Amino acid sequence: MKKSIILPAKNESLGLAKVLPELRQRFPDAELIVVDDGSTDNTIEIVSQYVDRLVRHPYSKGNGAAIKSGARVATGDLLVFMDADGQHQPADVARLLAELADKQLDMVVGARGMASQASLHRGLANVFYNRFASWVAGHRIHDLTSGMRAVRARLFCEFLPLLPNGFSYPTTITMCFFRAGYSVGYLPIVAPPRLGKSHVKIWRDGLRFLLIIFKIGTLFSPLKLFAPIALAFFLTGLGYYGYTYTTVGRFTNMSGLLFSNSVLIFLFGLVAEQITSLMYLRSAEQHQETKHE
């Protein structure tokens, strides 16, 4: 099966100078694609001698947008995504592809351990994201934010409209595959320190990831988010009613408000669940129409 290796890059000339020659040597028959997301360094000069296709954004659109641009122009049956900052090793590409073929999986993700995290707080944050996403998906997720993965192109392209332009494309595509019932596997990898300056800002992107946590819940399994909140309101109302009944012997407006809010929140969750199902159905239908055209 034809393979396409896609690297999104924004001012990653140091990493590209290290990664591209080894990729070309190891995978001479693979289609090598670099998506330049508005770089201002010498990325173009380094890339041009190694890649089969260079996609250039006139300005920075975000990592997710670069991933989508690469997937749209790729001609391979299998897509491999990896970062261009030197953290992902070309030798692991063959391992991912072998795992995908041997176990007949739809996507294989390179899972980093704590030793491969850039810092302790980022490692702890990723542990939290992995556990929350595992609860939402109902499956064990070893690395929610890993940018290194091999996937079947036909299935990946089904979800292009759902992928964000900025951060968290790995989060979204992982949850999409679990939601659709596709097979996802994990393979341990070691990620050395990146080359060059990181584009991640601790406070700004930390807040973004907190929002992503809530978006994961509402986008992929709304009831798992709404139902516990509704239950909390109901139990609070029940407890407050028990307190007022024993102290003043009556049912208060506050208890009624808490009970009614619990019902409304639960109903909102049901509606959100139906909207989510329709959204995935529409995405699949659009993909089928695109294939027929």
Side-chain angles (χ1 to χ4, degrees):
M1 301 181 74
K2 186 175 181 181
K3 306 169 187 64
S4 296
I5 303 175
I6 302 170
L7 296 89
K10 179 184 178 183
N11 296 329
E12 300 289 2
S13 57
L14 292 176
L16 290 169
K18 173 187 175 183
V19 172
L20 289 179
E22 187 175 352
L23 281 174
R24 179 50 70 200
Q25 180 181 7
R26 287 178 176 271
F27 308 99
D29 298 328
E31 180 184 38
L32 196 54
I33 301 172
V34 169
V35 182
D36 172 40
D37 189 39
S39 297
T40 56
D41 60 1
N42 61 332
T43 291
I44 304 303
E45 290 76 9
I46 293 173
V47 165
S48 58
Q49 55 185 315
Y50 296 108
V51 301
D52 298 294
R53 186 150 192 176
L54 171 64
V55 180
R56 300 188 65 182
H57 288 173
Y59 55 87
S60 180
K61 300 180 182 180
N63 178 260
I67 288 293
K68 289 190 281 189
S69 294
R72 289 188 181 107
V73 302
T75 60
D77 303 297
L78 303 176
L79 305 180
V80 177
F81 298 99
M82 57 186 296
D83 294 342
D85 56 13
Q87 285 191 303
H88 295 157
Q89 303 180 72
D92 288 328
V93 173
R95 296 176 59 228
L96 292 177
L97 292 171
E99 185 82 356
L100 191 76
D102 293 344
K103 296 186 177 180
Q104 293 296 301
L105 298 169
D106 298 312
M107 180 167 66
V108 177
V109 181
R112 303 159 295 175
M114 283 295 292
S116 297
Q117 300 296 334
S119 60
L120 178 61
H121 70 271
R122 286 183 64 178
L124 293 175
N126 280 333
V127 170
F128 173 70
Y129 300 147
N130 294 341
R131 291 184 177 178
F132 180 84
S134 297
W135 173 69
V136 172
H139 299 275
R140 174 77 184 279
I141 295 178
H142 297 269
D143 193 343
L144 183 65
T145 60
S146 174
M148 186 170 198
R149 59 193 61 218
V151 60
R152 300 188 187 278
R154 174 179 56 85
L155 304 182
F156 184 88
C157 290
E158 286 184 20
F159 303 106
L160 283 185
L162 299 180
L163 301 185
N165 288 336
F167 280 103
S168 188
Y169 110 79
T171 299
T172 306
I173 194 62
T174 298
M175 300 301 290
C176 283
F177 265 59
F178 278 122
R179 172 82 182 193
Y182 294 137
S183 302
V184 180
Y186 289 89
L187 192 68
I189 63 171
V190 176
R194 66 166 285 126
L195 300 176
K197 185 178 179 181
S198 173
H199 302 299
V200 177
K201 305 297 182 182
I202 296 177
W203 293 109
R204 182 197 65 188
D205 295 318
L207 292 175
R208 286 184 181 179
F209 278 119
L210 286 177
L211 290 176
I212 287 168
I213 290 295
F214 291 103
K215 288 173 66 177
I216 289 173
T218 55
L219 183 61
F220 298 102
S221 189
L223 269 181
K224 282 199 172 182
L225 186 65
F226 282 90
I229 296 175
L231 181 61
F233 270 86
F234 180 82
L235 293 177
T236 302
L238 189 63
Y240 190 74
Y241 171 57
Y243 168 75
T244 57
Y245 182 79
T246 56
T247 55
V248 295
R250 64 188 180 91
F251 180 81
T252 64
N253 291 337
M254 179 58 70
S255 296
L257 179 63
L258 291 169
F259 283 135
S260 61
N261 279 345
S262 69
V263 174
L264 288 174
I265 292 171
F266 181 73
L267 292 177
F268 287 151
L270 286 178
V271 173
E273 192 81 21
Q274 297 304 314
I275 292 174
T276 300
S277 299
L278 292 174
M279 178 185 65
Y280 281 99
L281 177 61
R282 182 179 179 184
S283 176
E285 289 175 346
Q286 289 177 343
H287 178 68
Q288 291 297 327
E289 291 175 0
T290 303
K291 283 178 62 179
H292 292 320
E293 289 175 359

